[in-house]
């Protein structure tokens, strides 16, 4: 048996990851590469185990937010291509080059700074050019004046000590089905293609042109180009409820905890902080070893269900930092019983999506919030094969 503290833990089903990858591979055209987005510790699932499984399934590109995440992959044995989406201090040009990490170049000023640092440090840095076609965050502005955008990109590409192997943009609403959102996505794509074509006419080409996140990958197959960047669908969740009926991916993660105490409580007893819940009559209550420090947000107080021995039980009172109370009246429960916080047990399921809706959030945030003190336990063919314990730093 894999050794980990069975207080609160998250299981990650690697067979479901295999399935999701195969589905994505089936959806993209031949020759289109797949970049597995593993930023934020693979959306809370554990970057090393997820990335290694992606490599085993033929994935050769990885997307991360920052250089710390990139170096984490390198330290864990991932030797494939990595693209940093966000900012890296230009003074780290030598690190980027030595670790074969591709850096996003998103402005003329940053391009000049990175080029100068690379020259001074005697290295060449691989880069992808980020074009802002309507997301409004970072990137060379490419809205109405396409020639000006092409001029700025061309100047960056021609700087010494930068090797521009790719160009990309990011869709802001590709997972939305309203006509205005569809029109805006097509406008973004049109801007991107125009600037790429104009650069091509000037003799500037790129090995990789990419624009499709999960929503774009699912909804706009004609926009897949040379590479796609699936994130949330890798982990089995829909990028939005609006397109949930179009995809059939399998969630990887389930969050589990245990009952520490079962007690009979009389009528009119207040429970937990703030006395927001008082027993309307005698109830059986169970304390569970989970709280907002584990990622189970306080906004779920009195609103959500968990599954105990196959039955739904409501959270009562305020969620605490380390504990929460369930009403288990009528359910056969004892200390040590496993509680499914989200996931399935018997005929009942609590989904990440329904918890997100209760909190006014969305599924991305719910899985990313699962705390660092929660071990990730990896399953293959129903067996526990590995554990990542962030507190005790072991695998």
């Amino acid at each position: 048996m894999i050794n980990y503290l069975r207080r609160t833990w998250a299981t990650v089903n690697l067979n479901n990851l295999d399935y999701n990858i195969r589905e994505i591979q089936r959806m993209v055209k031949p020759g289109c590469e797949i970049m597995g987005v593993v930023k934020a510790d693979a959306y809370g699932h554990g970057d090393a185990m997820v990335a290694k499984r992606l490599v085993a399934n033929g994935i050769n590109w990885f997307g991360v937010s920052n250089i710390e995440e990139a170096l984490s992959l390198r330290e864990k044995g991932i030797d494939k291509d990595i693209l940093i989406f966000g900012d890296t201090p230009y003074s780290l040009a030598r690190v980027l080059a030595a670790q074969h990490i591709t850096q996003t170049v998103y402005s003329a000023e940053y391009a000049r700074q990175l080029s100068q640092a690379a020259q001074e440090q005697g290295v060449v840095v691989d880069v992808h050019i980020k074009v802002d076609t309507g997301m409004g965050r970072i990137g060379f502005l490419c809205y109405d004046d396409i020639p000006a955008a092409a001029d700025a990109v061309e100047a960056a590409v021609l700087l010494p000590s930068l090797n521009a192997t790719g160009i990309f943009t990011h869709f802001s609403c590709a997972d939305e089905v309203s006509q205005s959102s569809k029109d805006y996505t097509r406008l973004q794509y049109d801007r991107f293609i125009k600037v790429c074509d104009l650069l091509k006419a000037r003799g500037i080409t790129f090995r990789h042109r990419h624009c499709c996140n999960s929503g774009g990958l699912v909804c706009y197959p004609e926009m897949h180009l040379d590479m796609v960047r699936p994130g949330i669908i890798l982990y089995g969740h829909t990028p939005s409820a609006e397109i949930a009926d179009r995809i059939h991916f399998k969630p990887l993660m389930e969050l589990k905890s245990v009952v520490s105490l079962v007690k009979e409580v009389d009528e009119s007893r207040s429970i937990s902080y703030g006395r927001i819940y008082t027993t309307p009559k005698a109830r059986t209550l169970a304390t569970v070893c989970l709280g907002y420090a584990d990622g189970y947000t306080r906004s779920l107080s009195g609103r959500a269900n968990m599954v105990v021995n196959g039955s739904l039980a409501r959270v009562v009172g305020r969620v605490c930092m380390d504990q929460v109370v369930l009403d288990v009246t009528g359910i056969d429960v004892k200390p040590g019983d496993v509680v499914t916080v989200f996931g399935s047990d018997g005929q009942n399921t609590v989904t990440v999506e329904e918890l997100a809706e209760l909190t006014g959030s969305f599924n991305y945030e719910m899985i990313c919030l699962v705390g660092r003190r929660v071990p990730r336990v990896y399953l293959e063919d129903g067996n526990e094969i590995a554990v990542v314990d962030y507190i005790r730093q072991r695998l």
Side-chain angles (χ1 to χ4, degrees), residues 25 28 68 96 236 252 362:
Q25 290 169 332
V28 301
E68 290 91 347
L96 292 168
L252 274 58
F362 69 151

Side-chain angles (χ1 to χ4, degrees), residues 64-70 83-92 96 101-107 109-111 113-114 130 138-139 168:
V64 299
S65 172
N66 54 58
I67 194 166
E68 290 91 347
E69 292 179 344
L83 173 64
I84 295 174
F85 294 134
D87 179 72
T88 297
Y90 54 84
S91 59
L92 296 178
L96 292 168
I101 297 168
T102 303
Q103 171 61 39
T104 291
V105 166
Y106 50 83
S107 71
E109 180 182 7
Y110 182 73
Q113 292 171 332
L114 186 60
K130 175 68 177 291
I138 62 172
F168 72 107

Side-chain angles (χ1 to χ4, degrees), residues 3-209:
N3 181 30
Y4 61 94
L5 182 63
R6 284 167 169 78
R7 171 196 168 271
T8 294
W9 66 96
T11 61
V12 179
N13 189 318
L14 296 176
N15 297 111
N16 286 358
L17 179 57
D18 295 338
Y19 173 87
N20 295 340
I21 297 167
R22 289 194 298 270
E23 282 296 292
I24 293 167
Q25 290 169 332
R26 182 184 60 80
M27 295 170 70
V28 301
K29 67 181 182 181
C32 178
E33 293 190 61
I34 296 169
M35 176 185 291
V37 179
V38 294
K39 62 181 179 176
D41 196 35
Y43 290 43
H45 293 70
D47 60 354
M49 291 294 290
V50 168
K52 289 174 182 177
R53 198 70 172 206
L54 292 175
V55 170
N57 281 274
I59 305 303
N60 295 313
W61 271 93
F62 294 92
V64 299
S65 172
N66 54 58
I67 194 166
E68 290 91 347
E69 292 179 344
L71 293 176
S72 173
L73 292 180
R74 288 286 183 254
E75 291 165 0
K76 293 164 184 172
I78 302 301
D79 61 0
K80 303 299 182 180
D81 288 299
I82 298 173
L83 173 64
I84 295 174
F85 294 134
D87 179 72
T88 297
Y90 54 84
S91 59
L92 296 178
R94 182 179 289 112
V95 177
L96 292 168
Q99 295 293 330
H100 187 53
I101 297 168
T102 303
Q103 171 61 39
T104 291
V105 166
Y106 50 83
S107 71
E109 180 182 7
Y110 182 73
R112 289 191 296 269
Q113 292 171 332
L114 186 60
S115 170
Q116 181 177 346
Q119 290 178 78
E120 292 172 352
Q121 296 172 25
V123 297
V124 174
V125 177
D126 290 337
V127 300
H128 280 201
I129 304 296
K130 175 68 177 291
V131 180
D132 178 10
T133 59
M135 183 67 180
R137 297 187 306 189
I138 62 172
F140 289 84
L141 287 178
C142 183
Y143 284 57
D144 300 320
D145 194 342
I146 303 298
D151 290 343
V153 171
E154 180 180 13
V157 167
L158 296 178
L159 288 170
S161 297
L162 300 184
N163 178 34
T165 63
I167 186 169
F168 72 107
T169 194
H170 191 70
F171 291 145
S172 68
C173 56
D175 56 353
E176 299 175 4
V177 300
S178 69
Q179 191 58 52
S180 63
S181 292
K182 291 178 180 179
D183 291 343
Y184 195 73
T185 299
R186 293 191 178 99
L187 174 62
Q188 282 194 260
Y189 181 74
D190 184 58
R191 288 168 172 167
F192 182 63
I193 292 301
K194 283 180 178 177
V195 78
C196 289
D197 287 347
L198 188 51
L199 289 165
K200 183 178 180 180
R202 300 178 184 182
I204 298 172
T205 58
F206 303 89
R207 180 180 176 186
H208 292 111
R209 300 165 303 151

Side-chain angles (χ1 to χ4, degrees), residues 177 218 238 240-248:
V177 300
V218 171
T238 178
S240 74
E242 296 178 53
I243 63 169
D245 59 342
R246 302 189 191 184
I247 59 178
H248 303 284

Side-chain angles (χ1 to χ4, degrees), residues 232-307:
I232 194 71
I233 58 176
L234 275 178
Y235 307 101
H237 298 281
T238 178
S240 74
E242 296 178 53
I243 63 169
D245 59 342
R246 302 189 191 184
I247 59 178
H248 303 284
F249 297 103
K250 296 181 179 181
L252 274 58
M253 184 186 288
E254 293 190 337
L255 185 59
K256 306 285 188 178
S257 190
V258 293
V259 173
S260 61
L261 176 68
V262 179
K263 53 193 174 292
E264 302 297 327
V265 179
D266 292 336
E267 179 182 346
S268 301
R269 302 298 188 189
S270 61
I271 305 299
S272 194
Y273 288 116
R275 303 177 63 220
I276 65 170
Y277 172 79
T278 301
T279 53
K281 53 186 176 180
R283 311 301 291 169
T284 303
L285 303 182
T287 304
V288 178
C289 301
L290 167 92
Y292 57 76
D294 303 295
Y296 196 78
T297 67
R298 198 166 182 255
S299 57
L300 290 168
S301 300
R303 308 179 69 190
N305 292 317
M306 298 182 189
V307 191

